[in-house]
Amino acid sequence: MENEIIFDASTDELGLLEFLVGDEYFGINIAKVSEIIRFTELTPIPNSPGSLEGVFTHRDKLVTVIDLHVVLGRPIKDEEHGNGLLIVCDFEQFVVAFHVSTVIGIKKLSWSTIEKPPSVSKDNTDSITTGMAKIEDDNKIIMILDFEKIICDLNLNPDNEGADLSTIEVSEGTDFAKHLIIAEDSPFLCKALVEALKTVGFKNIHVYYNGADAWSFIKSKKGTPQIAEIGAVISDIEMPQMDGHTLTKMIKADKELSEIPVYMFSSLIHENMRGRGDSAGADGQYSRSELAELITNLSERLALAK
């Protein structure tokens, strides 16, 4: 199943691929999915965690398989071993497949219908879900998983495990007192971003786990002196309540706010998504592995703005 579905940046639409792990419903943004294939014979990885099921070669690439049944604590029944489907995803040139029981299909939803899951820890960084989609017609809830966290927890992609902060070039005269607005639904990734910004000297960082809350904060500063204190917005693309493209469009459509730089920071940055980000008015778009470049350009922008 090839991913050929495109959603217009002028809307807040989400294509959610619904699948089953055991008898429970989960989902993934279709934009992250390369294709869906039948489960295939795997080569085991010696001394690996139980959730790392093995590897196989597909389209001349080595693909690591993560068994979501193990990750989510839904063991496969003996008669179901060797069955199921593989959801193949490309995270910034790192290809990984998730073993699921079956795929239900694609649901077209609005980001505004996606809710943040309840916090299960003080800072919510151990949460494996980023959103909940309530499907009223079917009377069910689809949990949207934090696939980047699953990958990072298993240390599968050491090249993108963390930013090399030594490559950041901080411009002379950077206004580190400027307020930065972070909109990111993954507490795990948000923490890494905030720590990197603080390391280079930024002090006033406001974190919001969805675009709607970030927009409410920014909008509340309109007509006040505090609006001039906002240096930039750094936004993920997929978030509950309001996605990053919609947040960007709303900022850029407002005369008073339009000069605020908005940077997209997401694992979904690819050719199609860059076009959508440009259409929304983003000042820059960076993949997760380009964190150092993002901070370098942010520093330059805030130095020039003084």
Side-chain angles (χ1 to χ4, degrees):
M1 175 180 171
E2 298 285 350
N3 172 21
E4 298 179 348
I5 296 180
I6 299 175
F7 293 89
D8 191 343
S10 64
T11 71
D12 71 342
E13 290 176 347
L14 160 68
L16 187 68
L17 180 69
E18 179 186 1
F19 59 88
L20 282 172
V21 178
D23 56 0
E24 297 192 43
Y25 297 93
F26 297 93
I28 182 173
N29 188 339
I30 190 64
K32 294 182 177 180
V33 179
S34 299
E35 57 186 309
I36 300 167
I37 61 177
R38 293 185 182 279
F39 189 83
T40 187
E41 183 177 351
L42 306 177
T43 300
I45 304 173
N47 302 317
S48 62
S51 56
L52 285 186
E53 202 165 359
V55 296
F56 71 103
T57 301
H58 182 64
R59 301 188 188 277
D60 298 323
K61 289 186 177 181
L62 190 66
V63 182
T64 300
V65 177
I66 299 175
D67 189 350
L68 287 185
H69 301 86
V70 176
V71 172
L72 299 170
R74 277 78 173 174
I76 302 177
K77 298 177 182 179
D78 290 339
E79 64 270 19
E80 295 176 350
H81 277 284
N83 296 322
L85 296 172
L86 298 176
I87 300 176
V88 183
C89 304
D90 190 336
F91 291 93
E92 300 180 38
Q93 306 306 310
F94 176 69
V95 184
V96 61
F98 298 96
H99 183 187
V100 304
S101 301
T102 191
V103 169
I104 306 299
I106 299 172
K107 291 192 177 295
K108 187 175 181 180
L109 305 172
S110 165
W111 279 111
S112 62
T113 65
I114 308 298
E115 298 185 11
K116 187 71 180 175
S119 176
V120 294
S121 66
K122 184 175 180 180
D123 61 2
N124 206 26
T125 53
D126 66 344
S127 176
I128 202 170
T129 60
T130 59
M132 303 184 303
K134 293 183 178 180
I135 312 299
E136 300 292 346
D137 293 344
D138 297 333
N139 192 30
K140 64 183 176 184
I141 296 176
I142 301 174
M143 304 301 295
I144 302 174
L145 298 175
D146 189 343
F147 289 90
E148 287 89 346
K149 183 179 189 302
I150 293 172
I151 291 172
C152 289
D153 282 351
L154 291 170
N155 295 317
L156 290 182
N157 194 7
D159 291 338
N160 288 337
E161 190 176 54
D164 182 3
L165 301 185
S166 66
T167 64
I168 296 174
E169 297 180 10
V170 178
S171 298
E172 183 178 355
T174 298
D175 189 350
F176 289 111
K178 284 287 190 180
H179 291 244
L180 303 181
I181 314 301
I182 309 298
E184 167 63 70
D185 71 330
S186 170
F188 175 78
L189 294 175
C190 187
K191 181 180 179 181
L193 174 58
V194 170
E195 287 178 350
L197 290 168
K198 287 183 175 180
T199 297
V200 299
F202 288 102
K203 305 171 183 177
N204 300 307
I205 303 173
H206 305 263
V207 173
Y208 298 95
Y209 292 116
N210 63 71
D213 287 346
W215 171 244
S216 293
F217 174 81
I218 297 168
K219 189 171 59 172
S220 72
K221 303 304 178 184
K222 288 184 60 176
T224 72
Q226 286 77 29
I227 197 68
E229 298 176 359
I230 299 178
V233 175
I234 302 175
S235 177
D236 188 14
I237 292 178
E238 55 168 359
M239 295 179 289
Q241 299 297 302
M242 180 187 293
D243 68 290
H245 290 141
T246 301
L247 173 62
T248 303
K249 285 188 62 179
M250 294 182 74
I251 293 171
K252 294 302 181 179
D254 189 296
K255 290 184 178 180
E256 188 178 357
L257 306 176
S258 60
E259 294 302 314
I260 298 175
V262 181
Y263 300 104
M264 310 303 300
F265 182 58
S266 171
S267 60
L268 289 177
I269 299 299
H270 48 66
E271 184 177 355
N272 177 44
M273 282 297 178
R274 286 189 186 278
R276 295 175 64 180
D278 290 341
S279 176
D283 293 271
Q285 301 181 70
Y286 304 87
S287 64
R288 300 295 188 194
S289 60
E290 296 173 323
L291 177 56
E293 183 180 349
L294 164 61
I295 297 177
T296 295
N297 291 340
L298 172 64
S299 169
E300 181 180 359
R301 179 70 176 260
L302 295 184
L304 293 174
K306 291 188 68 175

